[in-house]
């Protein structure tokens, strides 16, 4: 699986937007960009995924660069419940559905 | 509806003993995955089932680890002759098919003394 690079940690104030960057310069044409998050003492939770176009859902937005070598997860209004480790993952659709997790970004939300 | 469930939630065992970890996926999900997360580490893929067959066992760390799935539903991960380095949280996930989002269970925390 292609490798992703994320900052180790980020801080945000409650009710402010959070922009989480992810670099994936070796992405291939069949790789989907997935984001999962893991709250403390819980299993990971799906957030969003995309291929080429920007995506929005009730949890977040995903902005994908035109060359697909980077993407940004956007939490529009951070809440205390959004404090978690966020993982950016490339999944090769041609190679099954296993997820290869990296180190992720630990998001701290300050009240 | 019910999510992915795993049992036991915690397991403490002695080095050299065998352990079995159980995963009940979401009803109707054909794909099932096992991962593990060692203390302070990221998640590591172990094995993937589509139905009852395992097309990808590439993540199993040694031949002490095995897994099976019966009836396209429940899966059991077995670790024989446990070692201290097997201590981790073992997570199970399921998805509707192999190209859908994965839903994770709460995990089983295994401690090998």
């Amino acid at each position: 699986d292609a490798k992703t690079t994320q900052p180790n940690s980020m801080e945000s104030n409650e009710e402010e937007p959070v922009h989480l960057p992810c670099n994936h310069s070796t992405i291939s044409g069949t790789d989907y960009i997935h984001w999962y998050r893991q709250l403390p003492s819980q299993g990971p939770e799906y957030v969003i995924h995309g291929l080429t176009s920007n995506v929005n859902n009730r949890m977040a937005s995903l902005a994908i660069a035109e060359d697909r070598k980077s993407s940004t997860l956007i939490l529009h209004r951070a809440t205390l419940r959004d404090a978690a480790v966020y993982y950016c993952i490339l999944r090769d659709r041609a190679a099954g559905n296993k997820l290869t997790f990296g180190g992720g970004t630990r998001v701290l939300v300050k009240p | 509806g019910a999510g992915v469930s795993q049992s036991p939630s915690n397991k403490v065992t002695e080095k050299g003993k065998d352990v079995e970890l159980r995963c009940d996926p979401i009803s109707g999900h054909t794909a099932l995955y096992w991962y593990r997360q060692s203390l302070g580490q990221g998640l590591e893929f172990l094995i993937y089932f589509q139905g009852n067959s395992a097309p990808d066992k590439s993540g199993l760390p040694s031949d002490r680890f095995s897994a099976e799935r019966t009836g396209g539903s429940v899966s059991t991960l077995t670790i024989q002759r446990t070692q201290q380095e097997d201590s981790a949280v073992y997570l199970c996930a399921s998805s509707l098919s192999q190209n859908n989002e994965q839903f994770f269970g709460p995990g089983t925390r295994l401690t090998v003394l």
Side-chain angles (χ1 to χ4, degrees):
Chain A
D1 290 321
K3 185 175 174 63
T4 63
T5 304
Q6 299 177 252
N8 289 334
S9 64
M10 293 187 73
E11 283 191 5
S12 174
N13 294 317
E14 197 174 11
E15 298 195 2
E16 289 186 355
V18 182
H19 290 240
L20 301 177
C22 181
N23 288 319
H24 29 79
S25 58
T26 57
I27 191 170
S28 73
T30 54
D31 285 331
Y32 279 78
I33 302 161
H34 285 246
W35 284 82
Y36 281 74
R37 71 179 185 181
Q38 188 172 23
L39 279 65
S41 302
Q42 294 187 27
E45 172 187 32
Y46 168 83
V47 178
I48 201 168
H49 79 280
L51 183 61
T52 57
S53 302
N54 294 344
V55 185
N56 299 293
N57 66 19
R58 64 175 179 81
M59 289 182 70
S61 295
L62 177 61
I64 301 173
E66 193 169 338
D67 63 5
R68 302 214 317 131
K69 293 184 184 299
S70 65
S71 60
T72 301
L73 179 71
I74 303 164
L75 308 178
H76 295 288
R77 289 182 65 201
T79 69
L80 297 179
R81 193 195 173 278
D82 291 323
V85 178
Y86 287 76
Y87 297 98
C88 171
I89 301 162
L90 297 184
R91 182 180 72 80
D92 183 354
R93 182 169 181 153
N97 201 20
K98 73 178 182 183
L99 300 175
T100 302
F101 289 80
T105 297
R106 182 174 298 278
V107 172
L108 304 174
V109 181
K110 296 181 289 185
Chain B
V4 177
S5 61
Q6 294 185 244
S7 61
S9 55
N10 281 284
K11 176 72 176 178
V12 180
T13 190
E14 294 179 347
K15 178 181 172 181
K17 300 282 180 131
D18 298 351
V19 295
E20 285 189 354
L21 312 179
R22 176 186 169 108
C23 172
D24 282 87
I26 293 172
S27 178
H29 280 196
T30 63
L32 185 149
Y33 316 80
W34 284 97
Y35 298 84
R36 75 174 176 181
Q37 187 168 30
S38 302
L39 186 62
Q41 302 295 312
L43 286 92
E44 173 189 14
F45 167 80
L46 297 178
I47 187 170
Y48 150 63
F49 287 92
Q50 181 60 42
N52 291 334
S53 63
D56 190 349
K57 306 178 183 179
S58 62
L60 294 178
S62 75
D63 58 8
R64 296 186 295 105
F65 287 72
S66 63
E68 65 175 12
R69 189 180 186 195
T70 55
S73 181
V74 171
S75 176
T76 303
L77 177 69
T78 302
I79 309 173
Q80 295 178 310
R81 305 180 302 281
T82 52
Q83 304 294 313
Q84 288 183 332
E85 62 263 28
D86 299 334
S87 296
V89 176
Y90 288 80
L91 290 152
C92 175
S94 70
S95 63
L96 189 60
S97 71
Q98 71 170 12
N99 288 318
N100 292 100
E101 65 183 273
Q102 295 181 26
F103 294 84
F104 283 79
T108 293
R109 181 175 297 278
L110 174 67
T111 303
V112 182
L113 301 177

